[in-house]
Amino acid sequence: MEKRIKEAVRYLGYGRNAADETTLAMIEGTFAELERIAAPKSVCRIFDMDQTEDGRIIIGNMEIKSTSLTRNLKGCVKVLLFGATLGAGVDRFMKRASIADMAKAVIIQACAAALLEEYCDEEQLRIGGELEKQGLYLRPRFSPGYGDFDICNQEPLVRMLDCAKSIGLTLTDSFMMTPEKSVTAVIGASPIKERCPIAGCEACGKKDCEYRR
């Protein structure tokens, strides 16, 4: 719970400042509510990957042009396409709060984001444990919108995972996800074990890492 609360405080933008007791109490209460409402689901598929000389990444029928993703996937022999959501109930909870209490709505947004990241980390650890039996090690998640990995790549990723049917996740015309508290990502799998934290580059102090996004 302590780690979860720290993440929510970070999402609220406190930086190095401590949250006051009232805010902390609201965060704890919000997590308790979210635990009752959330219905987390995830889907994952493993694909072969090719990288062309002109810098394109080929995953199934998806072609990606992204320097930052290419760097992240260096040395990988497989990739995982991953999708996860907290479910529509969390969206309804946030919408009700935004009408009645904006301060509460902001805290719900932060807590839901922290809860989603926690769930994704747990799923990645589970999947990674299975792949390690095959001699493959996962890199941190890399989602459309990071670096120069264009947000429009949400569409083929969601389609290839059949997210609408598998976890109830769809996209708007502007590539925003519904339910809102959802995520898609590409995860590289390499035969070489790197010291990459699941939490990603934000949690790692190695600024000169060749895989850094």
Side-chain angles (χ1 to χ4, degrees):
M1 175 63 82
E2 184 179 349
K3 180 182 176 182
R4 182 186 286 184
I5 290 173
K6 284 182 178 178
E7 279 298 287
V9 169
R10 182 175 70 84
Y11 279 116
L12 285 169
Y14 277 84
R16 295 183 179 180
N17 299 316
D20 59 85
E21 292 300 320
T22 300
T23 301
L24 291 174
M26 289 180 69
I27 289 171
E28 288 192 33
T30 299
F31 275 125
E33 291 179 275
L34 285 170
E35 287 281 7
R36 293 192 297 270
I37 294 167
K41 293 180 181 179
S42 71
V43 60
C44 179
R45 288 186 64 192
I46 302 175
F47 290 84
D48 292 324
M49 175 190 65
D50 291 314
Q51 294 190 10
T52 65
E53 292 184 0
D54 62 353
R56 288 176 296 128
I57 301 165
I58 313 296
I59 304 170
N61 59 6
M62 177 167 57
E63 291 192 11
I64 303 166
K65 183 77 171 178
S66 167
T67 301
S68 51
L69 181 59
T70 297
R71 184 168 59 247
N72 179 269
L73 295 178
K74 183 179 179 181
C76 292
V77 295
K78 301 276 187 179
V79 292
L80 286 70
L81 300 188
F82 176 81
T85 182
L86 293 183
V90 173
D91 276 17
R92 291 192 291 269
F93 183 38
M94 292 190 297
K95 185 175 182 179
R96 288 195 300 269
S98 68
I99 295 170
D101 186 344
M102 277 306 299
K104 173 76 170 178
V106 170
I107 288 176
I108 293 171
Q109 286 276 359
C111 291
L115 190 63
L116 178 60
E117 284 297 304
E118 179 182 272
Y119 174 68
C120 290
D121 288 349
E122 290 171 353
E123 287 297 285
Q124 187 165 341
L125 280 172
R126 178 183 62 79
I127 296 164
E130 291 299 314
L131 285 178
E132 284 187 19
K133 298 173 185 176
Q134 304 173 35
L136 293 174
Y137 302 92
L138 297 185
R139 298 275 170 80
R141 295 183 298 278
F142 204 107
S143 294
Y146 287 158
D148 61 351
F149 185 19
D150 199 285
I151 192 71
C152 70
N153 288 289
Q154 295 274 37
E155 191 279 326
L157 206 160
V158 165
R159 175 166 36 82
M160 292 167 70
L161 288 171
D162 197 12
C163 283
K165 185 178 293 184
S166 57
I167 60 173
L169 169 60
T170 59
L171 291 178
T172 68
D173 291 341
S174 56
F175 308 110
M176 297 295 104
M177 289 176 284
T178 304
E180 179 183 338
K181 291 306 173 186
S182 304
V183 69
T184 62
V186 174
I187 308 172
S190 169
I192 300 171
K193 189 172 185 178
E194 302 290 348
R195 295 182 177 180
C196 291
I198 284 180
C201 301
E202 296 86 351
C204 181
K206 191 178 180 186
K207 304 298 184 183
D208 61 344
C209 176
E210 61 182 324
Y211 308 114
R212 195 169 185 87
R213 64 182 181 228

